[in-house]
Amino acid sequence: NAGVTQTPKFRVLKTGQSMTLLCAQDMNHEYMYWYRQDPGMGLRLIHYSVGEGTTAKGEVPDGYNVSRLKKQNFLLGLESAAPSQTSVYFCASSEDRGLRQPQHFGDGTRLSIL
Amino acid sequence: EDKVVQSPLSLVVHEGDTVTLNCSYEVTNFRSLLWYKQEKKAPTFLFMLTSSGIEKKSGRLSSILDKKELSSILNITATQTGDSAIYLCAVSGAGSYQLTFGKGTKLSVIP
């Protein structure tokens, strides 16, 4: 009964370091999304994918890259971390665009950039 | 650009009170409005409202969509401390893959 699983749950990085956040879903969903959540800002879409091998930019894509090599996994990369990327990152998946079925979220990754 | 505004941003009530949370939106070719509850971790889905389903109810929670006023309300009756959470509203438009979220309403229910 895993649903959407994000790893790691917490991470502290130094400015300039790189890292990859992993999102895995076991519901065979086509659509996957990466959001960031900052205090007072709500959830903002970083990148999304409409199927294996596809990615697209969301509202705040700068400084991030993504890959969807397998249907069940969606990776979010930070090539050179900046303090402005300190945030809580959520991955979500859905059966369709979210127009008829809701998006299901993981528990989040809390990332601090020093 | 799609826009969602939630009010109030925070609210403190006593157990047993009834609360109403508001969500207003601007979206091109509206398709759906969703409510999520977020406690410590993942947002969890509550309701989806569409043109063909403008009222939803589950236990003490209910929601109504007003397409004329471009808004929705989420009602919680007989509140409990377990209702303390951030309630998120999101909308989607036809042809878009994206949900646009509001900033959320933080509800605190005190005994």
Side-chain angles (χ1 to χ4, degrees):
Chain A
N1 196 25
V4 179
T5 303
Q6 292 183 232
T7 53
K9 294 188 181 346
F10 305 96
R11 187 72 182 269
V12 178
L13 291 178
K14 294 181 180 178
T15 297
Q17 287 185 317
S18 63
M19 80 160 294
T20 300
L21 281 64
L22 170 65
C23 176
Q25 53 96 3
D26 62 2
M27 296 173 282
N28 202 36
H29 286 169
E30 287 291 339
Y31 297 81
M32 296 188 74
Y33 310 83
W34 275 108
Y35 293 90
R36 60 178 288 173
Q37 186 175 37
D38 302 295
M41 296 294 292
L43 284 162
R44 293 183 292 170
L45 184 66
I46 305 171
H47 286 280
Y48 62 96
S49 168
V50 302
E52 182 178 319
T54 75
T55 63
K57 294 180 180 180
E59 180 186 353
V60 289
D62 294 342
Y64 305 95
N65 56 76
V66 287
S67 64
R68 182 104 180 264
L69 298 179
K70 293 183 179 181
K71 186 177 183 178
Q72 63 268 32
N73 296 336
F74 195 28
L75 306 179
L76 178 71
L78 285 73
E79 289 187 349
S80 180
S84 61
Q85 294 177 305
T86 293
S87 188
V88 180
Y89 292 86
F90 286 98
C91 176
S93 71
S94 67
E95 260 182 68
D96 61 12
R97 299 179 186 179
L99 304 181
R100 287 174 294 276
Q101 297 293 331
Q103 293 181 13
H104 299 271
F105 286 83
D107 284 343
T109 295
R110 186 173 295 276
L111 185 60
S112 295
I113 315 295
L114 304 178
Chain B
E1 182 180 326
D2 298 344
K3 186 177 177 182
V4 176
V5 178
Q6 292 186 244
S7 63
L9 291 180
S10 66
L11 187 59
V12 180
V13 300
H14 287 93
E15 268 192 316
D17 288 350
T18 294
V19 298
T20 299
L21 310 183
N22 300 286
C23 175
S24 63
Y25 61 88
E26 296 175 19
V27 63
T28 303
N29 296 324
F30 171 86
R31 288 296 297 269
S32 61
L33 183 145
L34 296 87
W35 284 98
Y36 284 85
K37 177 183 181 182
Q38 184 178 24
E39 296 176 86
K40 294 190 183 301
K41 296 184 177 179
T44 54
F45 172 72
L46 293 175
F47 299 119
M48 176 184 279
L49 303 166
T50 66
S51 297
S52 59
I54 62 172
E55 281 193 60
K56 293 289 175 72
K57 181 176 172 63
S58 177
R60 295 177 296 103
L61 278 66
S62 62
S63 184
I64 298 173
L65 176 69
D66 187 336
K67 285 200 69 182
K68 184 178 179 182
E69 296 296 327
L70 305 184
S71 65
S72 174
I73 59 171
L74 176 68
N75 277 325
I76 308 175
T77 60
T79 52
Q80 303 171 358
T81 55
D83 295 326
S84 295
I86 295 174
Y87 290 84
L88 298 167
C89 175
V91 295
S92 68
S96 170
Y97 294 103
Q98 302 184 19
L99 282 178
T100 300
F101 282 84
K103 295 182 179 181
T105 294
K106 183 177 181 180
L107 175 64
S108 300
V109 182
I110 55 178

